[in-house]
Amino acid sequence: MNSAAEVSAPPRDARSFRRRLIGLIAVGEVGVLAAMALLIAFFWLLEPAFLSERNIRAILNVVSFVGIIAIGQTILLVAGEFDLSVGSVAGLSAVVAAKLMTAAALPVSFGILGGIGVGALIGLLNGLIVVRLGIPAFIQTLGMLFIGQGLIQVVTGGYPVYPLPEAINTIGGTDLAFGLGWSFAFFIVAALFADFVLRRTVLGRNMYATGGNKEVAHLVGVNTSAYKIGAFITVGALSAIAGMFVMADLGSGGTSIGSGWELTVIAGVVVGGVSLFGGAGTVAGGVVGILMLKVVQSGLVVIGVNSNWQQIAVGVIMVMAVGLDIVRRRYFIAGA
């Protein structure tokens, strides 16, 4: 009887390999990196110009803008919430900063702080309404998206705000390395810092606990309301910074800044393994997901696919990523 059981039991090496494989799949960014490598090879084989210096620089520049917001969105998703108003917040903060530096003739530093203040204030408002009043984040932030779009038109009168001070133009035109400027440098530093905080600090562990199981986290003394509100403020402030970097890059406070970013950011971080259900994901994964999304969009353009198919591709990838997240939670993490 025992000998038969020993024969039918899987070898120890096979069980060990299976555990390692499950561990790799459970880490979202590993699968995304592999998929992105395959996509890069695919687009390069179809069109070698895809890996040209110019195209790589263009992808990284765009990623630096939306990637800054993705950092905040990742933190917020880990805490169990999400924000659909990030694009409008980016645009509104940029035009307010531009108005402060032009119409109000305030110093550049005051204009930048004013823009960040607008983003943080909207984040605080979103957080208080969602956490204290119990209005779902989807409803509140969707409403704020439309409010922000309307306020952009009110502030600007429908026209770009310019000319901006020379210091802003200098920030936007600086080439630090490989044609990349201050926005990319800020993006890298912020991503490294945020990833460290989430992975290695008590603050990060409490954020995961807040999103993973709010009731249990509250029982062990975690102020879940404060963590959620803090995450909303963070994503609001980072959205403002991203919007102002675009403003500096364009040389004006345009009314289209941030348009459409909200769904791109959520799609990217979800693709990177950040769970829509809270309590799972990393900043590194969210950043890799955003990069993969931009690789797909750029690749479709380079090989001559109609631009309308870009949105279809993003939608399909997002649905597949959420499906994978559900499978991963059910079979690999929850052990069901």
Side-chain angles (χ1 to χ4, degrees):
M1 190 75 175
N2 289 338
S3 60
E6 290 174 1
V7 171
S8 60
R12 182 176 300 177
D13 289 344
R15 293 197 300 270
S16 176
F17 173 76
R18 182 174 179 271
R19 284 195 298 269
R20 286 196 295 268
L21 180 62
I22 288 173
L24 285 174
I25 296 174
V27 181
E29 55 261 38
V30 174
V32 180
L33 281 170
M36 186 168 65
L38 290 173
L39 284 168
I40 290 173
F42 172 74
F43 288 126
W44 176 73
L45 288 172
L46 290 179
E47 177 51 73
F50 175 73
L51 288 181
S52 67
E53 180 180 327
R54 179 181 178 182
N55 195 53
I56 293 173
R57 187 187 303 116
I59 293 173
L60 293 179
N61 264 322
V62 174
V63 167
S64 70
F65 300 134
V66 293
I68 291 171
I69 302 179
I71 295 167
Q73 193 75 268
T74 297
I75 295 170
L76 185 57
L77 281 167
V78 164
E81 304 290 350
F82 60 89
D83 190 345
L84 292 175
S85 66
V86 291
S88 293
V89 172
L92 179 61
S93 300
V95 298
V96 167
K99 276 290 187 182
L100 290 175
M101 291 182 286
T102 53
L106 292 178
V108 170
S109 57
F110 281 81
I112 292 173
L113 289 174
I116 296 174
V118 168
L121 182 62
I122 294 175
L124 174 62
L125 184 61
N126 281 336
L128 288 174
I129 292 175
V130 170
V131 174
R132 300 300 186 189
L133 299 184
I135 294 177
F138 175 81
I139 300 299
Q140 167 57 30
T141 60
L142 182 63
M144 188 60 72
L145 183 155
F146 290 110
I147 292 172
Q149 289 176 342
L151 287 175
I152 290 172
Q153 300 302 318
V154 170
V155 170
T156 64
Y159 297 97
V161 181
Y162 68 92
L164 299 178
E166 188 58 35
I168 296 297
N169 295 324
T170 300
I171 292 173
T174 299
D175 180 355
L176 296 179
F178 193 61
L180 301 172
W182 287 112
S183 62
F184 190 79
F186 179 89
F187 163 60
I188 294 297
V189 172
L192 291 173
F193 177 75
D195 194 67
F196 173 80
V197 169
L198 276 186
R199 290 180 191 263
R200 304 296 182 185
T201 68
V202 174
L203 179 67
R205 289 192 288 272
N206 288 346
M207 196 70 77
Y208 281 110
T210 298
N213 194 318
K214 186 175 75 172
E215 288 73 21
V216 173
H218 186 71
L219 287 175
V220 299
V222 177
N223 188 341
T224 56
S225 296
Y227 276 94
K228 285 178 179 285
I229 293 172
F232 271 109
I233 295 172
T234 300
V235 74
L238 288 174
S239 298
I241 292 171
M244 288 187 290
F245 271 127
V246 175
M247 173 191 72
D249 189 64
L250 296 174
S252 66
T255 57
S256 62
I257 292 176
S259 178
W261 282 3
E262 45 280 324
L263 294 182
T264 298
V265 169
I266 289 182
V269 297
V270 170
V271 166
V274 182
S275 177
L276 279 173
F277 307 102
T282 64
V283 171
V287 167
V288 172
I290 286 287
L291 182 57
M292 177 180 168
L293 214 58
K294 292 304 174 184
V295 164
V296 171
Q297 291 178 320
S298 176
L300 292 175
V301 171
V302 169
I303 65 176
V305 175
N306 189 295
S307 60
N308 294 325
W309 285 96
Q310 291 183 36
Q311 299 302 319
I312 296 174
V314 170
V316 170
I317 291 172
M318 185 175 182
V319 171
M320 291 174 62
V322 173
L324 179 60
D325 178 41
I326 294 172
V327 171
R328 185 167 58 240
R329 289 170 65 89
R330 182 179 301 165
Y331 294 103
F332 299 127
I333 297 176

